[in-house]
Every structure is written in structure tokens, then in C-alpha cells.
Amino acid sequence: MEDIEKTQNGEVRANVTDNQDDVIAALKAEQETRNVGTLDRKLKSRHVQFMALSGAIGTGLFVGSGQVISLAGPLSAFLAYLITAFNVYCVVHSLGEMATYLPLPGAVPVYASRYVDEALGFVLGWNYWYQLAIGCPIEVTASVVVVDYWPNDIPKAALTTIFFLAMVIINLFPVRIYGEAEFAFGAIKLTTIVGLIILMFITTLGGTPSGDRIGFRYWHDPGPMNEYLETGSLGRFLAFWKVFIQATFSYGGSEMAVLAGGEVENPRRSIPKAIRRVFWRIALFYVLATFLITLCVSSRDPHLLNAIQGSAADATASPFVIAIENGGIKVLPSIINAVILTSAWSAGNSFFYSSTRVLYASALDGKAPKFLRYEKWGVPYACVGATTAISLLCYMNVNNHGADVFFWFSNISAVSTLIVWSSICVTYLRFYYGLRYNGISRDSLPYKSPLQPFMAYFAICFCLIVALFNGYDAFFPGKFSAKTFVPPYVDIPIFTCLFLGYKIIKRTKLVKLSDMDLWSGKAEVDRLEHTWPEVKPRNFWERIWFWIA
């Protein structure tokens, strides 16, 4: 009997041990694949680079730069774009270091939950999704307005449906199709901007049919800095400060190359490459193009003022088109308007894609309903459906009453870009100090961003100051109204209430450095890293192509 009992006890202990091993193995497997999802890594480096170009370069540069020049003057406009470019540099490199270490799909809210507070991950996921998703109907509406540059009798509802359905259909296909589409549109933008920069340089030297050599004429008259609300130095400073928010919106989307980290081949190599090249291209295009256009178009040009007063969003409000028309060139305005059309639609398409990945990441992290995790053929169809639903707001612009309602919906996200950027840098600082606490040298990381943590601190201060004071003109006598006060500030209390509400209900706490999860999901990427061969150029032409794409 004793032998039987010993045998039975041994078997029980063996079964318990086996069960414990199975549980440990299951937990380890879950830990290794946490937040990884089931999306396919089908995007190549060239897709990621041109996605960022498509998201950041749109109507903000081609049309919005005219409003900046008109309000602030040439020098103020140039400085605003230059300073904001450095802020973007800080944000993108901070996010890039985290995304290269742990490349996950739409990972911004995931990083916030792991390194800062689950409440920040929750609010950042939904706020970021809304900011990106509302960009889809905004760009669809812009596309419809741009078409009005050419005389036509097409109903607005029909044009809206065409642009909207095209956007949805592209995002229903596997991600490789989306990547090729954005690569094509990005190539159009790249070619157009390079051509415009050359043309503006020729124009300022007097190489147009009019033969007018402009030089720095418009920097002397009407002057380098305009006044706003007040006269003298104070008025010039107020005008300079007012255009920072427009410059920020123009650069919005520069971080899209990082949001695709969960679907790009060889992210440890592709993301750093995209960060370095895309930033310098965007900054070069914006800053250099803005500088040249300030030479070619006066901030008091009657064509520019009339277009802005008429709220034009097509080529008539583009300072590039105005410079071309003033130079006596006849054919190019329609071509530029066609490029503006493709830019607006492409930017909306990038917003659509990015919003679905951010929402998918939130669902994987448990901060959004589980049904949003549904995916097939590498496409998160439930998230595509959610973004499609909010994008139906574009039909509000078919009539004037709906357009007023749409104004309020779209402006809820007005300051969201700055809040998201500052949150990204707060998350990076926690990541930075978490690595130090755990004895992980940043020199061992796949990518180490420069000048840290100082760049992250700068970006936080810059974003918060601009966000808090961008609506200052609402407090001047006779200027206060719902339209001047609500859009600049409404997102701040929404963000705060969502953060505090989740924190109180879920009783979350700031993640301690000792409890910070720096490893979940990393093993999967480490395993795949050696399966992606490093492609090297074989000749001079391939070397040029690799530099471009």
C-alpha cells in the first residue's frame, strides 16, 4: 500500500509540475507576443518614407503657407516654419528610438501605458485616433473644394462620395496596396515641390516671361514682419506667435513613418532610415520653399488677400500659383491645382491608415473594445469600419448648415497634434530613465537619438506653451466669441477629463521604473530580425535609388 501511495503521490506531483510548466510556457509566449498583433510586415522602406511625405506635405504647404505669409510677413513665416521644424525633429527622433527598440503597430498609446500610466495610454489612444480619423473627412472636403477651381456642374455629394469611397477601398486591401498608392502620390509631391523650389528661385531672379527681378523687394516693402492686433514691436510679436499653430498643423503627420513600425520589413533598419531622411526632406521642403515663396509673393498681394478673405482652399489661395501668375506663366496653375488635389486626398488616405493602426493598438492593449482586434489578410477591418463611420462626417459639408456643425467637429482636434507630441516626449523621458534604471545602455539600442533627453524636454515645453497661448487673441477687446475661444482650447479639458476619469475609475498609478515593461513583444522582433537580408546597392544608379527611396 505504501508503494502504491508513493507512486500516486509522485504522479500527482509530476502532473502538477507539468501543469506549472505549461502555465509558465503559456505566460511566456503571451508575454513575448503582447501587443504584437497579427498584421503582416509587407511594407518596404520606400513605402514608409513616402507615407510620411504624403501625411505631412499637403494643403498646409501648398495653400496654408499663404495665410501664414499674409498674417505674419515673410521673416516671421520663415522663422515659424524653421523653429517648428526643430520641434518636429525632437518629437520624431524621440518616438523613433522607442519604435526601433520595440516596433509595434500604432504603438504610441502602448508605449504610454507601459512607461507612464495606463490612463495616459487610454486617453492618448482615443485622442490620437480621433485626431487622425477626423483628418479623413477634412481632406475629402478639401478635395471637393479644390475641384471647384475648374468650372464644373458635378454635385458636391457625388464628388464627396467618389473621394471618400476611393479612400475606404484602398484601406480594405492588404497593406502592400496602400503602400504602393502612397509611394505613387508621394513621388508626385516630391517631384512637384522640387520643381516649384527651382521655379521660385528662377522667378525671384527674373527668369519668368514678365522679366521682373524681385530679389528681397517684398522683405523691404511691406516689410519683414507684419503687425497683428497691436502696433509696433508687440504687434509684430503677436503676429509671429499666431502662426506657430498653423506651422504645427502643416508639419502634422511627420511621425506616420513610425506608426507603421508593426507592418514594415526590417523595422530596426527601415525606421531609423525613414526618420533621418523623411525629416530632412520635409524640413528642407517646408523651410526652403517657404523662404523662396516669401521672396516671390508680397504679404499684401491683392490676389492672396482676396483668396484668403473668400476662404478659398484651391489653387487661387496658393502663393505658388500667385507667384506663377504674377510671372506671366499661363499653363502651370491648373497643373499645380491638380497636385493640390492629389495632395489633399493622399493626406486623407494617410490619416485613414494611421488612425486604424492606432485604434488597433489600443484594442490589443485592452484600452478599446475587443471586437476592434478583428483582422483578416493583415487588415484590421473592425478599425477600418470605425474610421469609416466617423469619416461620414464629410457629408455634412454638402449644405451650409452641416458645414457649421462640421466646423465644430473638426476643431475639437485643433490642438490635439501638440498634446499628442508633448505626450510622446513625456513617454520618451520615462523610457529614457527606465533604461538607465534597468542598466540598459542606449549604445546597445538599434537606434540612439541624439541630444537626449534635452530634445524631449524642449519639445514638451514648446508644445505646451503653443497649445496654451495659441488662442490669445480671443481675450483682446471685441474679439471674444465661441469661434475664437472654443477651437483653440476645447481639446485640453476633453483630454484632461478622459485622463482623470480613467485614472479614478481604474485606480491606475504612475508606472514605477522598477515595474516598467521594456521587453514584452521584443522577442518576436528579435527572432525575425535575422530573417531580413540587408540589401546593398550594386551600382551607381542603385545607390541613387536607395538614397531617394
Side-chain angles (χ1 to χ4, degrees):
M1 288 294 293
E2 291 181 4
D3 293 338
I4 294 174
E5 288 179 359
K6 289 179 180 179
T7 302
Q8 290 176 341
N9 291 335
E11 290 177 352
V12 169
R13 283 194 295 271
N15 290 334
V16 170
T17 303
D18 290 342
N19 290 336
Q20 288 177 340
D21 292 340
D22 292 340
V23 171
I24 292 172
L27 290 173
K28 184 177 180 181
E30 181 183 354
Q31 186 81 355
E32 289 179 351
T33 59
R34 183 185 173 196
N35 301 121
V36 173
T38 54
L39 303 184
D40 296 330
R41 293 189 178 273
K42 297 293 186 181
L43 293 176
K44 296 186 180 296
S45 177
R46 61 185 176 89
H47 295 144
V48 175
Q49 293 186 56
F50 279 77
M51 277 169 54
L53 282 175
S54 296
I57 297 177
T59 53
L61 174 61
F62 293 116
V63 179
S65 57
Q67 297 176 338
V68 174
I69 295 169
S70 176
L71 175 62
L75 178 59
S76 295
F78 173 71
L79 291 176
Y81 278 110
L82 183 63
I83 296 171
T84 307
F86 178 70
N87 181 61
V88 173
Y89 180 87
C90 298
V91 174
V92 171
H93 280 262
S94 297
L95 179 57
E97 183 175 317
M98 294 187 291
T100 307
Y101 174 77
L102 187 63
L104 300 172
V108 172
V110 177
Y111 298 149
S113 294
R114 290 192 185 189
Y115 307 147
V116 186
D117 192 312
E118 286 199 13
L120 182 62
F122 169 78
V123 66
L124 195 55
W126 285 104
N127 190 82
Y128 205 6
W129 171 74
Y130 181 84
Q131 172 204 328
L132 295 168
I134 199 65
C136 304
I138 290 173
E139 296 298 342
V140 167
T141 302
S143 300
V144 173
V145 174
V146 168
V147 173
D148 288 339
Y149 176 80
W150 300 292
N152 68 86
D153 297 323
I154 305 174
K156 283 187 177 181
L159 286 172
T160 299
T161 302
I162 291 170
F163 292 130
F164 175 56
L165 282 182
M167 202 174 286
V168 175
I169 290 171
I170 286 288
N171 283 275
L172 289 175
F173 284 106
V175 70
R176 183 70 175 269
I177 304 298
Y178 165 81
E180 294 296 347
E182 286 307 302
F183 178 76
F185 285 115
I188 294 173
K189 292 181 184 181
L190 189 65
T191 304
T192 303
I193 292 175
V194 171
L196 285 174
I197 288 174
I198 296 171
L199 180 59
M200 292 303 104
F201 181 70
I202 294 173
T203 299
T204 193
L205 295 178
T208 59
S210 67
D212 185 16
R213 184 163 184 158
I214 303 171
F216 280 84
R217 179 193 307 164
Y218 299 131
W219 284 54
H220 294 287
D221 183 22
M225 303 181 78
N226 293 347
E227 298 172 347
Y228 179 62
L229 297 178
E230 296 285 344
T231 58
S233 300
L234 177 59
R236 289 189 287 273
F237 173 77
L238 292 176
F240 170 63
W241 186 258
K242 186 63 181 175
V243 296
F244 269 109
I245 198 72
Q246 177 65 44
T248 298
F249 293 154
S250 297
Y251 281 110
S254 301
E255 72 278 14
M256 285 186 185
V258 183
L259 293 180
E263 294 175 273
V264 64
E265 295 178 355
N266 200 353
R268 298 270 167 82
R269 183 175 180 273
S270 298
I271 293 178
K273 181 180 177 182
I275 290 170
R276 295 188 192 100
R277 294 184 180 181
V278 168
F279 168 77
W280 287 112
R281 288 173 187 173
I282 292 174
L284 177 67
F285 293 150
Y286 267 102
V287 175
L288 183 56
T290 302
F291 172 71
L292 290 172
I293 201 62
T294 60
L295 298 179
C296 299
V297 178
S298 169
S299 61
R300 292 291 177 260
D301 187 289
H303 298 97
L304 182 61
L305 295 176
N306 290 337
I308 293 173
Q309 290 171 2
S311 299
D314 56 17
T316 57
S318 171
F320 296 98
V321 171
I322 292 172
I324 291 169
E325 290 177 339
N326 291 344
I329 304 173
K330 302 296 183 184
V331 182
L332 282 179
S334 285
I335 297 176
I336 299 302
N337 194 67
V339 173
I340 293 173
L341 175 61
T342 61
S343 297
W345 186 88
S346 175
N349 196 34
S350 293
F351 289 139
F352 196 111
Y353 165 82
S354 299
S355 67
T356 61
R357 271 48 181 184
V358 168
L359 189 58
Y360 181 70
S362 293
L364 289 176
D365 203 36
K367 305 299 188 299
K370 285 187 177 181
F371 75 88
L372 292 172
R373 300 179 188 179
Y374 177 75
E375 168 272 326
K376 196 171 182 63
W377 301 306
V379 180
Y381 283 113
C383 297
V384 170
T387 298
T388 300
I390 198 172
S391 297
L392 291 171
L393 291 172
C394 61
Y395 285 99
M396 283 186 161
N397 284 284
V398 173
N399 63 67
N400 294 331
H401 296 294
D404 290 336
V405 177
F406 183 77
F407 169 83
W408 295 103
F409 275 111
S410 62
N411 277 284
I412 290 177
S413 64
V415 190
S416 181
T417 300
L418 291 166
I419 294 177
V420 168
W421 284 357
S422 59
S423 300
I424 287 172
C425 291
V426 168
T427 302
Y428 173 78
L429 288 176
R430 295 287 298 168
F431 172 76
Y432 176 90
Y433 291 115
L435 292 177
R436 176 184 290 181
Y437 180 87
N438 287 279
I440 301 174
S441 172
R442 291 178 64 237
D443 293 327
S444 67
L445 301 183
Y447 172 69
K448 176 184 175 183
S449 57
L451 302 175
Q452 295 289 13
F454 308 107
M455 290 203 309
Y457 280 116
F458 170 84
I460 293 170
C461 295
F462 178 86
C463 291
L464 293 181
I465 291 172
V466 174
L468 290 173
F469 294 101
N470 83 93
Y472 68 85
D473 48 349
F475 300 99
F476 275 73
K479 291 286 185 179
F480 190 87
S481 67
K483 280 196 172 184
T484 59
F485 176 74
V486 175
Y489 295 113
V490 67
D491 199 56
I492 296 176
I494 291 175
F495 190 93
T496 304
C497 289
L498 287 174
F499 176 82
L500 294 177
Y502 189 90
K503 192 169 184 64
I504 293 171
I505 293 172
K506 296 291 185 177
R507 300 178 183 274
T508 64
K509 295 181 179 180
L510 178 70
V511 178
K512 296 179 180 179
L513 297 179
S514 57
D515 298 332
M516 195 173 287
D517 182 5
L518 295 166
W519 294 277
S520 295
K522 182 174 178 292
E524 178 70 12
V525 183
D526 291 343
R527 181 181 63 81
L528 293 172
E529 186 173 3
H530 302 292
T531 65
W532 291 305
E534 183 177 350
V535 182
K536 296 182 179 181
R538 294 169 295 180
N539 52 53
F540 174 75
W541 296 110
E542 282 195 357
R543 192 173 290 110
I544 293 177
W545 171 248
F546 279 28
W547 182 84
I548 295 174

